[in-house]
Amino acid sequence: GVTVVQVDEEQLFYLMSRGINKDDAKDMIVDGFFESLISRVQQKQTQDALRYSLQKKRDKHELQTDFGF
């Protein structure tokens, strides 16, 4: 499966205006989105498994973002 996350254009612009390249900026925004969800999970082992899974999807280029432009 593929995960699609819609990212705020303004967030991307802000990070890029601070010298962060587009790919790194996208990663930071997506990580922040998922981290806000992962941090709600009570069990640390489950949090770690979710972070690992997210990283694996990114490494395999299975994690896509939809910026609408």
Side-chain angles (χ1 to χ4, degrees), residues 54-66:
L54 179 61
Q55 186 60 48
K56 284 295 184 189
K57 285 189 175 290
R58 179 177 292 127
D59 291 346
K60 290 180 173 181
H61 305 286
E62 292 177 358
L63 185 67
Q64 299 178 4
T65 54
D66 177 12

